[in-house]
Amino acid sequence: MTIVAHEPEARPTRRPAALREIRVALLGLGQVGSALAELSSTTTQGALTGRFRLTAALVRDPHKPRRVDTTPLTLLTDGKAALASTPDVVVEVLGGIEPARTLVLAALDAGIPVVTANKTLLAYCGTELAARASAAGVPFLYEASVLAGVPFLGALQRRPLAGAVTSLRGIVNGTSNYVLSRIAHDRIDFAEALAAAQRAGYAEADPAKDVDGDDAVEKLCVLLRQFAGFDVHPSQIEKAGIGSVEPGDQEHAAAFGGCIRPLVAADWPDGRLTAYAGPAYIDGAHAFSRVDGVQNAVALTTRWSGELLFSGPGAGPVVTAATVLDDVVEAVESGGHERGAPATPVEVDALDAAPWFLRLTAAALGEHDAPALLSTLGVRLRRASHIDARGGHHSQRLLTHPCARAHIDAALDVLAAKTGSRSWRIPVVE
Amino acid sequence: MTIVAHEPEARPTRRPAALREIRVALLGLGQVGSALAELSSTTTQGALTGRFRLTAALVRDPHKPRRVDTTPLTLLTDGKAALASTPDVVVEVLGGIEPARTLVLAALDAGIPVVTANKTLLAYCGTELAARASAAGVPFLYEASVLAGVPFLGALQRRPLAGAVTSLRGIVNGTSNYVLSRIAHDRIDFAEALAAAQRAGYAEADPAKDVDGDDAVEKLCVLLRQFAGFDVHPSQIEKAGIGSVEPGDQEHAAAFGGCIRPLVAADWPDGRLTAYAGPAYIDGAHAFSRVDGVQNAVALTTRWSGELLFSGPGAGPVVTAATVLDDVVEAVESGGHERGAPATPVEVDALDAAPWFLRLTAAALGEHDAPALLSTLGVRLRRASHIDARGGHHSQRLLTHPCARAHIDAALDVLAAKTGSRSWRIPVVE
């Protein structure tokens, strides 16, 4: 282990990228960075054996014990020094915005291709970074940022007709999908399912970003920039967490023939964007009903190629590291993908009209006929469950026909006034 | 319409591929060729507007009426003249082996990139053509040959880690999947379902190649060359048609929690290849259980990225044409994908051990206890349907635990001798 915490000598002339050795400066040596350091030195895949050379690894604390053998690595605490280690490619797996943003911009300005797996950086600064990469004519790849493991962002960027996307649906957060799957299969509550996810290594100690929907929103922003050319800030997206999903919701969703999944959904039929990230009911005939556990998926409606579905692991240190290394290979062998116009800002509408999955809860719901009341209020129902009586409360689930949000909310207010019921609604996504 | 049926003047110097105009020589003006001629002149996608120029269209009969406007096209009947029309890319959509093979080889030898959608050509001559393209250093792309519409062959070829595939499953023939879906949903028999597919434009007048499995076998050969590096001849693959699937099979498959789909399956755990193409039972939890109608899908088990699923339309003139045009764009903008070693011949084993879905039929099956008999013969059963009594015959469906093929066949022979039953078996694929 070599520690250099200050500026090294002047950067020598860059080697041409087509050399057999691929020199990589690694920014970040956390879970993904460690997996990458290991995989890059051990892979015997195809023509990659012994081909990667890590020129530097940027860390905060060079003395921290790590699960990866750091002996062959040059650990640096100075980002600029890492960039000066004459890499062919800079790999950014620091996570978060700073110092990642500053270092990525510096690399691009210096003409060094950049690969990142950092969806937060892309969601908040993607337009700026892509513009800088484009101006510098330098590859900037981020296949691992959404649906890691499944190559589709780069493939569709190279292919203008397949990439003519008009709407998208996704299950892009494995933690949330695992938690909702466990609630469905094992009839355990949210807290138990989350604890199970943590024990299985599928959730962080602080799972808020996953279960509250922020991670999914960031990935949706990446997808919208990629496929719609929209520069959307995460705060623009309507978001709901999965913490309010109860075992009874999944139980009755199954009885209705579907299930509740953590979805992202966006439509832009005439340039007007509608987007949502949160739990949603989907029908059992939908491909997403078979995307279970930590599995992720993205479905794209395209102009020329119908409905395309991509599914795979989506996350995990080794999968992410492999995806990043494939991007590194693409960056040096195939160059960047030609880009279109820079992303443009757009207003984002929340979902307005949808069918809805409703949960009504009251101390004495059984004394009222809530479905009949809703019908008289103009809310057409497709399905209604029996009334559950548990823990001194009554609850009932309903599936509506498409109904404007203002309409359903007004009807639920009337219902609350008449019956004392509380309500919870999520959209049905098709 | 200009008709030139003989050699034109000497070919001028080729233009550099990076020019804004993309000159395409089109070999074949059938359904796909016509869709391509139309799409290439009308698309306004991204930077493609007005960019494609068809330098020639090779046809058998220039006077045949066609649904596409041929006025702006130079129709040729001489393949060499078409190649001499100074294209940037040659697109081969003739189908079949000759004259496609000779013309593709001639184009590659002349240094002209080739895009083809022709799985028959690739299945029988793919190794030869890839070797010639590689020797000439010329792009040779065929994304539309399997799972048209979904870009995955090229993407995985560029990405050595994601492309480290160890087994594959696919629904790669839309006609067969449509027919089996109709049998399942509408309880109609094979002939009725096939007629429905023909009326819907999903089956050819002569559907043999689709429903007998030859089309699926050819696509499996393409996938095996691509992902396993195996040079497999279609005659090496065990194949079964879907014509023997009865409505009762789908009905009981559904009762067992699964369905019968037209699958291709291949495993090569230690370099030893097992492959199958034909109807198979899959469980309702499998993603393929939601790949319905003409939809296609390919699932790849990979070394680093888990299970990847790609799904989309898979066929259709416009989808295929769009995929071919995207390949054309890739050929001129990104060049070819780096290739590995040439494919090598390999022996192919038929599926040996699997769970099996069985249909037993006899005039008086009800007089025997077939499940009990099979159990005494060492065939362990997971599920048995009730006995159907229709048209004077009794039939029963069984789902077994994994069992060697020789074992199950010997047991069925004993059963036939004791009960007079006929049996039909398909594998359960997981």
Side-chain angles (χ1 to χ4, degrees), chain A residues 247-275:
Chain A
D249 299 324
Q250 288 287 31
E251 189 183 326
H252 291 295
F256 293 162
C259 55
I260 298 172
R261 297 263 182 222
L263 290 198
V264 295
D267 297 272
W268 53 99
D270 43 17
R272 187 105 200 134
L273 174 63
T274 304

PDB file of all heavy atoms in Angstrom, chain A residues 247-275:
ATOM      1  N   PRO A 247     -49.701  -5.889   5.454  1.00  0.00           N
ATOM      2  CA  PRO A 247     -49.896  -7.250   4.933  1.00  0.00           C
ATOM      3  C   PRO A 247     -51.288  -7.443   4.325  1.00  0.00           C
ATOM      4  O   PRO A 247     -51.436  -8.096   3.287  1.00  0.00           O
ATOM      5  CB  PRO A 247     -49.709  -8.131   6.173  1.00  0.00           C
ATOM      6  CG  PRO A 247     -48.873  -7.324   7.107  1.00  0.00           C
ATOM      7  CD  PRO A 247     -49.205  -5.885   6.831  1.00  0.00           C
ATOM      8  N   GLY A 248     -52.305  -6.846   4.957  1.00  0.00           N
ATOM      9  CA  GLY A 248     -53.662  -6.991   4.420  1.00  0.00           C
ATOM     10  C   GLY A 248     -53.814  -6.382   3.029  1.00  0.00           C
ATOM     11  O   GLY A 248     -54.629  -6.845   2.235  1.00  0.00           O
ATOM     12  N   ASP A 249     -53.023  -5.344   2.734  1.00  0.00           N
ATOM     13  CA  ASP A 249     -53.092  -4.750   1.398  1.00  0.00           C
ATOM     14  C   ASP A 249     -52.622  -5.767   0.349  1.00  0.00           C
ATOM     15  O   ASP A 249     -53.262  -5.946  -0.687  1.00  0.00           O
ATOM     16  CB  ASP A 249     -52.213  -3.491   1.317  1.00  0.00           C
ATOM     17  CG  ASP A 249     -52.651  -2.416   2.299  1.00  0.00           C
ATOM     18  OD1 ASP A 249     -53.875  -2.284   2.516  1.00  0.00           O
ATOM     19  OD2 ASP A 249     -51.776  -1.718   2.842  1.00  0.00           O
ATOM     20  N   GLN A 250     -51.486  -6.403   0.637  1.00  0.00           N
ATOM     21  CA  GLN A 250     -50.964  -7.399  -0.310  1.00  0.00           C
ATOM     22  C   GLN A 250     -51.909  -8.596  -0.406  1.00  0.00           C
ATOM     23  O   GLN A 250     -52.104  -9.160  -1.486  1.00  0.00           O
ATOM     24  CB  GLN A 250     -49.566  -7.878   0.116  1.00  0.00           C
ATOM     25  CG  GLN A 250     -48.447  -6.851  -0.084  1.00  0.00           C
ATOM     26  CD  GLN A 250     -48.064  -6.661  -1.565  1.00  0.00           C
ATOM     27  OE1 GLN A 250     -48.895  -6.805  -2.465  1.00  0.00           O
ATOM     28  NE2 GLN A 250     -46.810  -6.311  -1.795  1.00  0.00           N
ATOM     29  N   GLU A 251     -52.482  -8.965   0.735  1.00  0.00           N
ATOM     30  CA  GLU A 251     -53.382 -10.121   0.749  1.00  0.00           C
ATOM     31  C   GLU A 251     -54.591  -9.869  -0.158  1.00  0.00           C
ATOM     32  O   GLU A 251     -54.948 -10.702  -1.003  1.00  0.00           O
ATOM     33  CB  GLU A 251     -53.829 -10.347   2.196  1.00  0.00           C
ATOM     34  CG  GLU A 251     -54.597 -11.605   2.456  1.00  0.00           C
ATOM     35  CD  GLU A 251     -55.027 -11.645   3.930  1.00  0.00           C
ATOM     36  OE1 GLU A 251     -54.266 -11.148   4.792  1.00  0.00           O
ATOM     37  OE2 GLU A 251     -56.142 -12.135   4.199  1.00  0.00           O
ATOM     38  N   HIS A 252     -55.180  -8.698  -0.025  1.00  0.00           N
ATOM     39  CA  HIS A 252     -56.357  -8.409  -0.840  1.00  0.00           C
ATOM     40  C   HIS A 252     -55.969  -8.077  -2.278  1.00  0.00           C
ATOM     41  O   HIS A 252     -56.716  -8.371  -3.206  1.00  0.00           O
ATOM     42  CB  HIS A 252     -57.192  -7.304  -0.202  1.00  0.00           C
ATOM     43  CG  HIS A 252     -57.862  -7.740   1.063  1.00  0.00           C
ATOM     44  ND1 HIS A 252     -58.827  -8.715   1.080  1.00  0.00           N
ATOM     45  CD2 HIS A 252     -57.668  -7.394   2.359  1.00  0.00           C
ATOM     46  CE1 HIS A 252     -59.227  -8.938   2.324  1.00  0.00           C
ATOM     47  NE2 HIS A 252     -58.531  -8.136   3.130  1.00  0.00           N
ATOM     48  N   ALA A 253     -54.793  -7.476  -2.455  1.00  0.00           N
ATOM     49  CA  ALA A 253     -54.319  -7.251  -3.825  1.00  0.00           C
ATOM     50  C   ALA A 253     -54.212  -8.584  -4.548  1.00  0.00           C
ATOM     51  O   ALA A 253     -54.620  -8.726  -5.716  1.00  0.00           O
ATOM     52  CB  ALA A 253     -52.966  -6.532  -3.822  1.00  0.00           C
ATOM     53  N   ALA A 254     -53.687  -9.605  -3.852  1.00  0.00           N
ATOM     54  CA  ALA A 254     -53.580 -10.936  -4.454  1.00  0.00           C
ATOM     55  C   ALA A 254     -54.966 -11.489  -4.760  1.00  0.00           C
ATOM     56  O   ALA A 254     -55.178 -12.104  -5.821  1.00  0.00           O
ATOM     57  CB  ALA A 254     -52.813 -11.872  -3.528  1.00  0.00           C
ATOM     58  N   ALA A 255     -55.918 -11.253  -3.850  1.00  0.00           N
ATOM     59  CA  ALA A 255     -57.280 -11.735  -4.094  1.00  0.00           C
ATOM     60  C   ALA A 255     -57.907 -11.023  -5.295  1.00  0.00           C
ATOM     61  O   ALA A 255     -58.726 -11.607  -6.011  1.00  0.00           O
ATOM     62  CB  ALA A 255     -58.139 -11.527  -2.851  1.00  0.00           C
ATOM     63  N   PHE A 256     -57.492  -9.786  -5.532  1.00  0.00           N
ATOM     64  CA  PHE A 256     -57.969  -9.054  -6.723  1.00  0.00           C
ATOM     65  C   PHE A 256     -57.226  -9.515  -7.980  1.00  0.00           C
ATOM     66  O   PHE A 256     -57.488  -9.011  -9.080  1.00  0.00           O
ATOM     67  CB  PHE A 256     -57.756  -7.542  -6.558  1.00  0.00           C
ATOM     68  CG  PHE A 256     -58.597  -6.891  -5.481  1.00  0.00           C
ATOM     69  CD1 PHE A 256     -58.239  -5.639  -4.984  1.00  0.00           C
ATOM     70  CD2 PHE A 256     -59.738  -7.502  -4.978  1.00  0.00           C
ATOM     71  CE1 PHE A 256     -59.003  -5.018  -4.002  1.00  0.00           C
ATOM     72  CE2 PHE A 256     -60.504  -6.886  -3.996  1.00  0.00           C
ATOM     73  CZ  PHE A 256     -60.139  -5.646  -3.500  1.00  0.00           C
ATOM     74  N   GLY A 257     -56.222 -10.373  -7.832  1.00  0.00           N
ATOM     75  CA  GLY A 257     -55.489 -10.879  -9.004  1.00  0.00           C
ATOM     76  C   GLY A 257     -54.202 -10.133  -9.292  1.00  0.00           C
ATOM     77  O   GLY A 257     -53.575 -10.354 -10.334  1.00  0.00           O
ATOM     78  N   GLY A 258     -53.778  -9.252  -8.386  1.00  0.00           N
ATOM     79  CA  GLY A 258     -52.573  -8.478  -8.662  1.00  0.00           C
ATOM     80  C   GLY A 258     -51.638  -8.430  -7.479  1.00  0.00           C
ATOM     81  O   GLY A 258     -51.633  -9.331  -6.630  1.00  0.00           O
ATOM     82  N   CYS A 259     -50.830  -7.394  -7.412  1.00  0.00           N
ATOM     83  CA  CYS A 259     -49.926  -7.228  -6.276  1.00  0.00           C
ATOM     84  C   CYS A 259     -49.494  -5.770  -6.204  1.00  0.00           C
ATOM     85  O   CYS A 259     -49.674  -5.002  -7.151  1.00  0.00           O
ATOM     86  CB  CYS A 259     -48.706  -8.137  -6.400  1.00  0.00           C
ATOM     87  SG  CYS A 259     -47.807  -7.946  -7.929  1.00  0.00           S
ATOM     88  N   ILE A 260     -48.920  -5.399  -5.064  1.00  0.00           N
ATOM     89  CA  ILE A 260     -48.415  -4.042  -4.881  1.00  0.00           C
ATOM     90  C   ILE A 260     -46.904  -4.082  -5.025  1.00  0.00           C
ATOM     91  O   ILE A 260     -46.232  -4.873  -4.367  1.00  0.00           O
ATOM     92  CB  ILE A 260     -48.838  -3.480  -3.502  1.00  0.00           C
ATOM     93  CG1 ILE A 260     -50.370  -3.412  -3.441  1.00  0.00           C
ATOM     94  CG2 ILE A 260     -48.225  -2.098  -3.273  1.00  0.00           C
ATOM     95  CD1 ILE A 260     -50.919  -3.047  -2.064  1.00  0.00           C
ATOM     96  N   ARG A 261     -46.386  -3.257  -5.924  1.00  0.00           N
ATOM     97  CA  ARG A 261     -44.945  -3.209  -6.200  1.00  0.00           C
ATOM     98  C   ARG A 261     -44.468  -1.764  -6.082  1.00  0.00           C
ATOM     99  O   ARG A 261     -45.255  -0.828  -6.281  1.00  0.00           O
ATOM    100  CB  ARG A 261     -44.667  -3.687  -7.632  1.00  0.00           C
ATOM    101  CG  ARG A 261     -45.035  -5.124  -7.912  1.00  0.00           C
ATOM    102  CD  ARG A 261     -43.830  -6.013  -7.786  1.00  0.00           C
ATOM    103  NE  ARG A 261     -44.120  -7.380  -8.096  1.00  0.00           N
ATOM    104  CZ  ARG A 261     -43.640  -8.410  -7.384  1.00  0.00           C
ATOM    105  NH1 ARG A 261     -42.865  -8.194  -6.341  1.00  0.00           N
ATOM    106  NH2 ARG A 261     -43.921  -9.645  -7.721  1.00  0.00           N
ATOM    107  N   PRO A 262     -43.185  -1.559  -5.812  1.00  0.00           N
ATOM    108  CA  PRO A 262     -42.647  -0.189  -5.780  1.00  0.00           C
ATOM    109  C   PRO A 262     -42.305   0.240  -7.205  1.00  0.00           C
ATOM    110  O   PRO A 262     -41.346  -0.252  -7.795  1.00  0.00           O
ATOM    111  CB  PRO A 262     -41.374  -0.336  -4.938  1.00  0.00           C
ATOM    112  CG  PRO A 262     -40.929  -1.753  -5.182  1.00  0.00           C
ATOM    113  CD  PRO A 262     -42.162  -2.562  -5.486  1.00  0.00           C
ATOM    114  N   LEU A 263     -43.089   1.119  -7.766  1.00  0.00           N
ATOM    115  CA  LEU A 263     -42.940   1.458  -9.180  1.00  0.00           C
ATOM    116  C   LEU A 263     -42.441   2.876  -9.394  1.00  0.00           C
ATOM    117  O   LEU A 263     -42.654   3.756  -8.564  1.00  0.00           O
ATOM    118  CB  LEU A 263     -44.292   1.337  -9.901  1.00  0.00           C
ATOM    119  CG  LEU A 263     -44.887  -0.040 -10.111  1.00  0.00           C
ATOM    120  CD1 LEU A 263     -45.957   0.031 -11.204  1.00  0.00           C
ATOM    121  CD2 LEU A 263     -43.839  -1.064 -10.502  1.00  0.00           C
ATOM    122  N   VAL A 264     -41.796   3.082 -10.526  1.00  0.00           N
ATOM    123  CA  VAL A 264     -41.698   4.414 -11.100  1.00  0.00           C
ATOM    124  C   VAL A 264     -42.465   4.368 -12.419  1.00  0.00           C
ATOM    125  O   VAL A 264     -42.471   3.345 -13.108  1.00  0.00           O
ATOM    126  CB  VAL A 264     -40.238   4.877 -11.343  1.00  0.00           C
ATOM    127  CG1 VAL A 264     -39.498   5.017 -10.025  1.00  0.00           C
ATOM    128  CG2 VAL A 264     -39.494   3.942 -12.278  1.00  0.00           C
ATOM    129  N   ALA A 265     -43.138   5.462 -12.735  1.00  0.00           N
ATOM    130  CA  ALA A 265     -43.946   5.507 -13.950  1.00  0.00           C
ATOM    131  C   ALA A 265     -43.875   6.916 -14.522  1.00  0.00           C
ATOM    132  O   ALA A 265     -43.907   7.890 -13.762  1.00  0.00           O
ATOM    133  CB  ALA A 265     -45.400   5.142 -13.643  1.00  0.00           C
ATOM    134  N   ALA A 266     -43.732   7.005 -15.816  1.00  0.00           N
ATOM    135  CA  ALA A 266     -43.715   8.323 -16.455  1.00  0.00           C
ATOM    136  C   ALA A 266     -44.274   8.216 -17.867  1.00  0.00           C
ATOM    137  O   ALA A 266     -44.007   7.253 -18.575  1.00  0.00           O
ATOM    138  CB  ALA A 266     -42.284   8.886 -16.503  1.00  0.00           C
ATOM    139  N   ASP A 267     -45.059   9.198 -18.231  1.00  0.00           N
ATOM    140  CA  ASP A 267     -45.639   9.287 -19.573  1.00  0.00           C
ATOM    141  C   ASP A 267     -45.432  10.695 -20.086  1.00  0.00           C
ATOM    142  O   ASP A 267     -45.564  11.656 -19.328  1.00  0.00           O
ATOM    143  CB  ASP A 267     -47.145   8.986 -19.520  1.00  0.00           C
ATOM    144  CG  ASP A 267     -47.437   7.568 -19.062  1.00  0.00           C
ATOM    145  OD1 ASP A 267     -47.475   6.683 -19.924  1.00  0.00           O
ATOM    146  OD2 ASP A 267     -47.593   7.352 -17.844  1.00  0.00           O
ATOM    147  N   TRP A 268     -45.123  10.805 -21.376  1.00  0.00           N
ATOM    148  CA  TRP A 268     -44.990  12.133 -21.981  1.00  0.00           C
ATOM    149  C   TRP A 268     -45.557  12.086 -23.403  1.00  0.00           C
ATOM    150  O   TRP A 268     -44.866  12.274 -24.391  1.00  0.00           O
ATOM    151  CB  TRP A 268     -43.540  12.620 -21.954  1.00  0.00           C
ATOM    152  CG  TRP A 268     -42.497  11.697 -22.542  1.00  0.00           C
ATOM    153  CD1 TRP A 268     -41.948  11.776 -23.786  1.00  0.00           C
ATOM    154  CD2 TRP A 268     -41.855  10.570 -21.905  1.00  0.00           C
ATOM    155  NE1 TRP A 268     -41.028  10.780 -23.959  1.00  0.00           N
ATOM    156  CE2 TRP A 268     -40.943  10.029 -22.828  1.00  0.00           C
ATOM    157  CE3 TRP A 268     -41.967   9.967 -20.650  1.00  0.00           C
ATOM    158  CZ2 TRP A 268     -40.154   8.903 -22.537  1.00  0.00           C
ATOM    159  CZ3 TRP A 268     -41.191   8.856 -20.366  1.00  0.00           C
ATOM    160  CH2 TRP A 268     -40.298   8.349 -21.294  1.00  0.00           C
ATOM    161  N   PRO A 269     -46.883  11.867 -23.472  1.00  0.00           N
ATOM    162  CA  PRO A 269     -47.499  11.650 -24.781  1.00  0.00           C
ATOM    163  C   PRO A 269     -47.331  12.837 -25.723  1.00  0.00           C
ATOM    164  O   PRO A 269     -47.097  12.655 -26.906  1.00  0.00           O
ATOM    165  CB  PRO A 269     -48.969  11.387 -24.451  1.00  0.00           C
ATOM    166  CG  PRO A 269     -49.173  11.929 -23.081  1.00  0.00           C
ATOM    167  CD  PRO A 269     -47.870  11.806 -22.386  1.00  0.00           C
ATOM    168  N   ASP A 270     -47.465  14.052 -25.222  1.00  0.00           N
ATOM    169  CA  ASP A 270     -47.386  15.214 -26.111  1.00  0.00           C
ATOM    170  C   ASP A 270     -46.423  16.238 -25.527  1.00  0.00           C
ATOM    171  O   ASP A 270     -46.672  17.438 -25.572  1.00  0.00           O
ATOM    172  CB  ASP A 270     -48.785  15.811 -26.303  1.00  0.00           C
ATOM    173  CG  ASP A 270     -49.535  15.860 -24.975  1.00  0.00           C
ATOM    174  OD1 ASP A 270     -48.869  15.740 -23.923  1.00  0.00           O
ATOM    175  OD2 ASP A 270     -50.766  16.005 -24.985  1.00  0.00           O
ATOM    176  N   GLY A 271     -45.326  15.716 -24.937  1.00  0.00           N
ATOM    177  CA  GLY A 271     -44.332  16.616 -24.376  1.00  0.00           C
ATOM    178  C   GLY A 271     -44.647  17.038 -22.963  1.00  0.00           C
ATOM    179  O   GLY A 271     -43.826  17.639 -22.279  1.00  0.00           O
ATOM    180  N   ARG A 272     -45.852  16.738 -22.501  1.00  0.00           N
ATOM    181  CA  ARG A 272     -46.306  17.064 -21.144  1.00  0.00           C
ATOM    182  C   ARG A 272     -46.001  15.844 -20.284  1.00  0.00           C
ATOM    183  O   ARG A 272     -46.460  14.744 -20.589  1.00  0.00           O
ATOM    184  CB  ARG A 272     -47.816  17.320 -21.225  1.00  0.00           C
ATOM    185  CG  ARG A 272     -48.448  17.834 -19.990  1.00  0.00           C
ATOM    186  CD  ARG A 272     -48.802  19.316 -20.027  1.00  0.00           C
ATOM    187  NE  ARG A 272     -48.946  19.710 -18.624  1.00  0.00           N
ATOM    188  CZ  ARG A 272     -48.419  20.791 -18.101  1.00  0.00           C
ATOM    189  NH1 ARG A 272     -47.750  21.633 -18.841  1.00  0.00           N
ATOM    190  NH2 ARG A 272     -48.561  21.048 -16.824  1.00  0.00           N
ATOM    191  N   LEU A 273     -45.221  16.016 -19.226  1.00  0.00           N
ATOM    192  CA  LEU A 273     -44.722  14.875 -18.461  1.00  0.00           C
ATOM    193  C   LEU A 273     -45.537  14.627 -17.197  1.00  0.00           C
ATOM    194  O   LEU A 273     -45.768  15.529 -16.400  1.00  0.00           O
ATOM    195  CB  LEU A 273     -43.256  15.124 -18.070  1.00  0.00           C
ATOM    196  CG  LEU A 273     -42.590  14.101 -17.146  1.00  0.00           C
ATOM    197  CD1 LEU A 273     -42.519  12.727 -17.809  1.00  0.00           C
ATOM    198  CD2 LEU A 273     -41.181  14.573 -16.766  1.00  0.00           C
ATOM    199  N   THR A 274     -45.982  13.370 -17.037  1.00  0.00           N
ATOM    200  CA  THR A 274     -46.616  12.913 -15.813  1.00  0.00           C
ATOM    201  C   THR A 274     -45.705  11.870 -15.183  1.00  0.00           C
ATOM    202  O   THR A 274     -45.224  10.986 -15.899  1.00  0.00           O
ATOM    203  CB  THR A 274     -47.974  12.241 -16.117  1.00  0.00           C
ATOM    204  OG1 THR A 274     -48.777  13.163 -16.836  1.00  0.00           O
ATOM    205  CG2 THR A 274     -48.680  11.834 -14.843  1.00  0.00           C
ATOM    206  N   ALA A 275     -45.441  11.984 -13.884  1.00  0.00           N
ATOM    207  CA  ALA A 275     -44.518  11.029 -13.275  1.00  0.00           C
ATOM    208  C   ALA A 275     -44.933  10.703 -11.854  1.00  0.00           C
ATOM    209  O   ALA A 275     -45.564  11.515 -11.160  1.00  0.00           O
ATOM    210  CB  ALA A 275     -43.095  11.593 -13.288  1.00  0.00           C
TER     211      ALA A 275
END
